[in-house]
Amino acid sequence: MLRAVKPKNARSKRVLEAREPKEVEDERTVVFVQGTKTGEVVDEAMKELMALKRPHAISFSKKNSVHPFEDASSLEFWAQKNDASMFVIGQSTKKRPAGIIVARTFDSRVLDMCELGIDKFVSMSEFKTPKSTPGHKPMLHFASDLFDTHPRYIQLKSLLIAFFNGEVIESICLPGLEHVISVSIAPLKNLQTTSVPLGGTQQDDPKNLPKVHLRTYTVKLLPSGTRVPRVELLEMGPFIDLSLRRHQEADTEMWKAAIKRPKLKKKDIERGLGKKKKNLEVDEMGDLRGRIHIAKQDLGKLQTRKMKGLKVLPSKHGDTDESESEDEEASPQKRRKGD
């Protein structure tokens, strides 16, 4: 456990308050770390991934002897010093060549990790097409049912969304959508997908799991004769084929704390943030309006003010016919017209 840091002045207090949990979190800062041996493929892949993540990316120039699955103390120290919540560690060994480890932290502690092997890499420089502007938020596309059913791919999807997801925004214009990151899974060849679902000890072996294809495209908007433009995708790069290797799942208690939302202040609730409360709504002007439900009332027993003009006076001859009453009501109108 890291010791609690107490602010010494107002400036350090503001920094600590900015790092506290928020209802809408800031964009994640990713630290790229090179291991003792990386290789040309790992170096180029990390440069391309860092280019997609800029400006919220930090690169360590020196190589470090770090092994997250054995000892994660160095990652926790770097996470606190750099206010970073994700790491990409490049490492190439004889047993696991051309590998990268994607790690996610919570409260300066390692939450979960996944090791990926780079089987094929195509750089951006090989595609002579326009590139996206650094800092623009990409569109993410996951093309496989395994991303919602298999635990290994569910974890990978969560890590990729946390890595590429930018700042939370309410609206965006069409020219701001410049590139798409598509993640798909190779066809299942050696697995009996028709009768036996993906799972079990043999099928969960990383060697039997299908590879993951990561592709990046730029968006080109063309005139279509209507208000909605015609969209074409151009290959931008990088193109990376990844294979699943080791992984570390998140601790149950830590995961519950990580997904727990902080309590909202009264002014934030009035602005419409957080869980919608019953019979409360915020109008277009930002005013909080409420509805009150009352039980059904019997208006027949309602006590009203007694007025002399509302009293029904009995006639001398008793109850009159409807025709006579209608003539009496119509006669004043005729008199007014004659006058």
Side-chain angles (χ1 to χ4, degrees), residues 25 48 87 129 135 154 180 184 197 200 236 243 296 327:
E25 293 289 347
E48 305 270 326
F87 290 87
T129 54
I154 292 175
V180 180
S184 60
M236 183 185 79
S243 59
K296 188 176 180 180
D327 294 341

Side-chain angles (χ1 to χ4, degrees), residues 21-290:
K22 305 175 184 177
E23 179 64 22
V24 180
E25 293 289 347
D26 300 331
E27 186 172 356
R28 292 177 178 269
T29 302
V30 182
V31 177
F32 291 82
V33 184
Q34 292 182 348
T36 53
K37 294 182 181 180
T38 53
E40 184 178 357
V41 176
V42 176
D43 291 340
E44 291 296 326
M46 293 182 64
K47 287 181 182 179
E48 305 270 326
L49 292 175
M50 188 171 57
L52 295 176
K53 186 60 182 176
R54 283 175 182 165
H56 299 277
I58 302 174
S59 177
F60 287 180
S61 57
K62 296 182 180 180
K63 294 185 177 183
N64 298 268
S65 179
V66 55
H67 303 281
F69 287 96
E70 288 78 17
D71 184 13
S73 58
S74 56
L75 297 185
E76 296 176 353
F77 175 75
W78 292 332
Q80 188 179 26
K81 295 294 289 184
N82 298 277
D83 191 19
S85 56
M86 290 198 73
F87 290 87
V88 176
I89 302 101
Q91 187 79 19
S92 181
T93 61
K94 185 177 180 180
K95 187 177 181 180
R96 299 182 181 89
I100 57 174
I101 300 174
V102 182
R104 179 168 47 183
T105 63
F106 168 72
D107 195 17
S108 300
R109 292 179 295 171
V110 174
L111 182 64
D112 56 349
M113 292 184 290
C114 180
E115 184 179 6
L116 304 171
I118 302 175
D119 299 327
K120 184 180 178 181
F121 174 75
V122 183
S123 177
M124 288 185 185
S125 58
E126 299 189 17
F127 299 98
K128 307 301 179 182
T129 54
K131 311 302 179 186
S132 62
T133 306
H136 275 221
K137 187 174 182 177
M139 294 180 287
L140 298 176
H141 174 245
F142 293 90
S144 180
D145 295 336
L146 295 179
F147 287 117
D148 299 323
T149 57
H150 196 273
R152 290 296 307 274
Y153 294 99
I154 292 175
Q155 182 192 28
L156 178 62
K157 178 182 178 180
S158 178
L159 288 171
L160 292 178
I161 290 177
F163 181 86
F164 290 110
N165 192 19
E167 183 181 358
V168 178
I169 53 179
E170 297 180 356
S171 59
I172 189 172
C173 58
L174 284 179
L177 303 175
E178 293 190 356
H179 61 297
V180 180
I181 299 176
S182 176
V183 186
S184 60
I185 297 178
L188 307 178
K189 296 181 179 179
N190 300 327
L191 296 175
Q192 300 176 1
T193 57
T194 56
S195 60
V196 181
L198 185 61
T201 56
Q202 295 181 356
Q203 295 180 352
D204 282 343
D205 187 3
K207 296 181 180 179
N208 297 329
L209 294 176
K211 297 181 180 180
V212 179
H213 303 305
L214 191 145
R215 304 289 184 263
T216 309
Y217 304 92
T218 53
V219 178
K220 186 177 181 181
L221 303 178
L222 300 175
S224 61
T226 60
R227 187 176 181 181
V228 180
R230 184 166 60 91
V231 179
E232 288 187 359
L233 298 180
L234 302 177
E235 296 177 344
M236 183 185 79
F239 283 11
I240 309 176
D241 292 347
L242 303 169
S243 59
L244 299 181
R245 294 180 181 173
R246 296 178 295 175
H247 77 291
Q248 176 180 322
E249 297 181 355
D251 182 65
T252 306
E253 298 298 329
M254 190 183 298
W255 181 258
K256 289 181 180 180
I259 63 177
K260 184 179 179 180
R261 293 180 176 271
K263 293 184 179 180
L264 293 177
K265 299 179 181 179
K266 183 178 179 181
K267 61 179 182 180
D268 295 332
I269 297 176
E270 293 177 353
R271 286 168 47 199
L273 297 178
K275 186 178 180 180
K276 186 176 180 180
K277 291 191 174 182
K278 190 176 181 180
N279 301 328
L280 288 178
E281 58 183 7
V282 181
D283 58 7
E284 297 178 354
M285 301 301 295
D287 298 329
L288 183 65
R289 296 184 177 274

